[in-house]
Amino acid sequence: METELKFDFNNLFSFSVKEHGVTPQELDAAAALAQEASRHLKKIIADPLSRVNLSLEWVKLPEQSEEDIAQIESLARQIAKEYENVIFLGIGGSYLGLKAAQDALCPPYYNDFERVRKNGPRVYFEGNNLDPDTLSILLDNLDPKKTFVVVISKSGETTETKAALILAEAWLKKGAGVNYGRQIVAITDPEKGSLRKRVNLEQGKDPLSFRSLPLLKGVGGRFSEFNMGLLHLALSGVDIRRLFAGARGMLSRCSVDDPLKNPAYLYALLHYILYQKKAKSLAVLMPFSQTLKSTADWYIQLLAESLGKKYHRQIQTGPDGREIWEANRQDIFNRGRTPISASGTNDLHSIQQNNVEGENNKVVTFIRVEKFNSELKIPGEGELLSGRDFSALMQLAQEATEWALVRQNRPNCTIILPEVSAYTWGALLFFFQMAVAFEGELFNLNAFDQPGVEGYKNYMYYKLGKPGIPEEVVEEIKSHPLVKDHKYIL
Ligand code: PA5
């Protein structure tokens, strides 16, 4: 029997942080909105057509079959048996969840020590940037014959991932020979995109080349760790069944209608009120655990892409009864809390100064770990620190940080993890995903698209001469060039 996550929301209320916290009246006043948000979310989740169409199918990911898990584990075993290194290529939702899992669920210094990674392959992440330095050093130092490449891109069109794949392919071809395609697995859309086309082409020639794993329909990148991350989890020896069990448990806790009994709803509702009524526009996520820092980075994408939006949402019903959401261009929102990732205790010597004495415009969420995987006692006697456990000091530091914030009336809350395990991490991710989905309802936004990231892509494609860019996009770029006055370039 696993111990469940706990949530301490005390310091988000006015009885703790005075005028910077939520009052009982404010909570009461938001009850009708919360009830409607809960009703609507439940309705979409219960309707398979809307769920897939609106990209909420991620709620079903923890229910994947034993057969699917076993198939992925078998592929992972084959790869681990034959290769010393695996490079995962992907960016955004096709990278951040994997990196978060790697750091949270695999031992630290994984690549450095064979015993630590139980003789499994080393794991590298690339294709998440256009910085030439990292990929070139990696490829210069790995042996292509001993390296497997997993490329992950739902659209199959993302520039960073594509560029890295082209390079990695050329490197494999040169170093591993004509059958190099057998050293590549592609995780991409089951039907669309140029990566899918490539998979189909290569598979037609050689079924062992460019093998591919299915992505479920209706799951957006940042909500897809339990889909596109599975091969990585299996390769790194993570217990996928425990992960799913944790996520399922959290889904059930976060499906209760009453926000006061539903951790994700209450978290979202309190943050919504703090944003709307107290101008708390920054969301700092501060795990007191080095291994959860990348989970905070994953959360940045989740919150920023889901809730930082230009327009409110307009809901329509299609002829088959499914909901259709469109941006309401008459109703500009242009808001969204800005996420910041930090970690205890290192950032207590950094951002903490601003958290305590800078503008009171933030809400800090701590993640506290009750039991770490290692015990480490400071030896000796007679010193203040002698005989103390690192983990006890970590917990004390978290409590002290909480106290320091409350003393200055800075709203904060704490998510308590009994331990960092596949079960609790699965639950944690699902908690955040449910909270973001609920907050999207409160704001009446589409939390599952990211139209704002298209601007830079279009500009790049235009400059690169990509064919097929819509005429209006070309016109917009041409008529709005970047303006540079040389006197301001020093
Ligand atoms: O959340 C999302 O959908 C995006 O951030 C994507 O994950 C990101 O743009 C990468 O896209 P793709 O997987 O298509 O390469």
Side-chain angles (χ1 to χ4, degrees), residues 2-40:
E2 308 267 358
T3 334
E4 302 297 337
L5 273 67
K6 284 198 215 126
F7 301 86
D8 180 354
F9 296 133
N10 274 287
N11 299 334
L12 297 178
F13 286 96
S14 56
F15 65 78
S16 174
V17 290
K18 308 221 168 74
E19 72 275 20
H20 293 282
V22 175
T23 63
Q25 294 76 13
E26 284 164 340
L27 195 59
D28 281 353
L33 176 67
Q35 207 177 5
E36 175 49 24
S38 165
R39 183 204 64 78
H40 189 228

Side-chain angles (χ1 to χ4, degrees), residues 91-94 152-156 158 161 220-222 301 305 450 457:
I91 192 167
S94 300
I152 310 181
S153 177
K154 185 175 165 64
S155 64
T158 306
T161 313
R222 59 193 176 276
Q301 186 204 14
E305 285 196 344
Q450 56 286 326
K457 286 189 195 167

Side-chain angles (χ1 to χ4, degrees), residues 305-311 333-335 445-447 449 451:
E305 285 196 344
S306 304
L307 301 180
K309 293 285 155 77
K310 183 166 181 181
Y311 300 109
F333 177 63
N334 262 154
R335 301 184 70 214
L445 296 173
N446 182 351
D449 64 0

Side-chain angles (χ1 to χ4, degrees), residues 142-320:
L142 292 183
D143 178 348
K145 290 195 182 68
K146 296 178 181 164
T147 303
F148 199 89
V149 172
V150 180
V151 54
I152 310 181
S153 177
K154 185 175 165 64
S155 64
E157 306 297 344
T158 306
T159 305
E160 291 85 342
T161 313
K162 252 187 174 175
L165 177 63
I166 294 170
L167 209 77
E169 262 196 79
W171 173 78
L172 282 179
K173 195 174 183 175
K174 189 164 168 229
V178 281
N179 285 332
Y180 76 92
R182 295 182 176 191
Q183 288 172 231
I184 297 175
V185 158
I187 302 181
T188 188
D189 189 277
E191 287 155 14
K192 294 192 298 260
S194 56
L195 185 55
R196 171 52 57 191
K197 267 196 207 138
R198 181 76 198 284
V199 166
N200 293 345
L201 185 78
E202 298 296 332
Q203 288 264 290
K205 291 190 263 174
D206 171 10
L208 291 178
S209 183
F210 272 75
R211 279 168 292 171
S212 138
L213 288 174
L215 283 183
L216 293 189
K217 270 194 171 161
V219 183
R222 59 193 176 276
F223 291 86
S224 69
E225 168 53 16
F226 299 153
N227 189 183
M228 60 174 65
L230 295 185
L231 180 61
H232 162 257
L233 292 169
L235 262 164
S236 316
V238 174
D239 186 342
I240 294 174
R241 290 160 194 83
R242 295 313 304 149
L243 186 96
F244 282 178
R248 281 196 303 268
M250 187 54 73
L251 177 62
S252 128
R253 286 179 77 183
C254 298
S255 301
V256 176
D257 289 333
D258 180 356
L260 290 179
K261 299 201 170 82
N262 178 326
Y265 287 9
L266 189 54
Y267 183 81
L269 186 61
L270 293 171
H271 279 77
Y272 170 84
I273 298 171
L274 288 164
Y275 183 45
Q276 298 285 71
K277 305 276 177 201
K278 320 275 161 169
K280 306 302 178 209
S281 57
L282 303 184
V284 182
L285 182 57
M286 190 182 234
F288 273 68
S289 152
Q290 196 60 20
T291 66
L292 291 175
K293 173 72 169 76
S294 322
T295 302
D297 295 336
W298 166 86
Y299 176 68
I300 294 212
Q301 186 204 14
L302 184 74
L303 184 64
E305 285 196 344
S306 304
L307 301 180
K309 293 285 155 77
K310 183 166 181 181
Y311 300 109
H312 277 120
R313 170 185 68 177
Q314 200 163 33
I315 303 176
Q316 280 159 7
T317 309
D320 52 4

Side-chain angles (χ1 to χ4, degrees), residues 259-399:
L260 290 179
K261 299 201 170 82
N262 178 326
Y265 287 9
L266 189 54
Y267 183 81
L269 186 61
L270 293 171
H271 279 77
Y272 170 84
I273 298 171
L274 288 164
Y275 183 45
Q276 298 285 71
K277 305 276 177 201
K278 320 275 161 169
K280 306 302 178 209
S281 57
L282 303 184
V284 182
L285 182 57
M286 190 182 234
F288 273 68
S289 152
Q290 196 60 20
T291 66
L292 291 175
K293 173 72 169 76
S294 322
T295 302
D297 295 336
W298 166 86
Y299 176 68
I300 294 212
Q301 186 204 14
L302 184 74
L303 184 64
E305 285 196 344
S306 304
L307 301 180
K309 293 285 155 77
K310 183 166 181 181
Y311 300 109
H312 277 120
R313 170 185 68 177
Q314 200 163 33
I315 303 176
Q316 280 159 7
T317 309
D320 52 4
R322 79 178 78 174
E323 275 197 17
I324 299 164
W325 296 353
E326 271 167 17
N328 183 350
R329 289 174 203 280
Q330 314 310 318
D331 190 358
I332 293 183
F333 177 63
N334 262 154
R335 301 184 70 214
R337 297 185 290 118
T338 304
I340 296 169
S341 88
S343 75
T345 65
N346 29 11
D347 286 325
L348 300 184
H349 303 261
S350 162
I351 196 176
Q352 178 64 2
Q353 169 63 29
N354 186 288
N355 289 349
V356 173
E357 291 192 350
E359 198 176 340
N360 195 343
N361 58 353
K362 310 165 193 69
V363 179
V364 179
T365 297
F366 300 115
I367 303 177
R368 178 185 170 96
V369 178
E370 293 287 70
K371 190 176 174 303
F372 285 82
N373 292 323
S374 322
E375 284 296 336
L376 198 58
K377 205 182 267 307
I378 300 170
E381 48 190 50
E383 290 283 338
L384 181 67
L385 297 177
S386 310
R388 312 263 187 192
D389 283 325
F390 266 66
S391 54
L393 290 172
M394 183 69 124
Q395 285 150 359
L396 180 59
Q398 187 273 321
E399 185 185 319

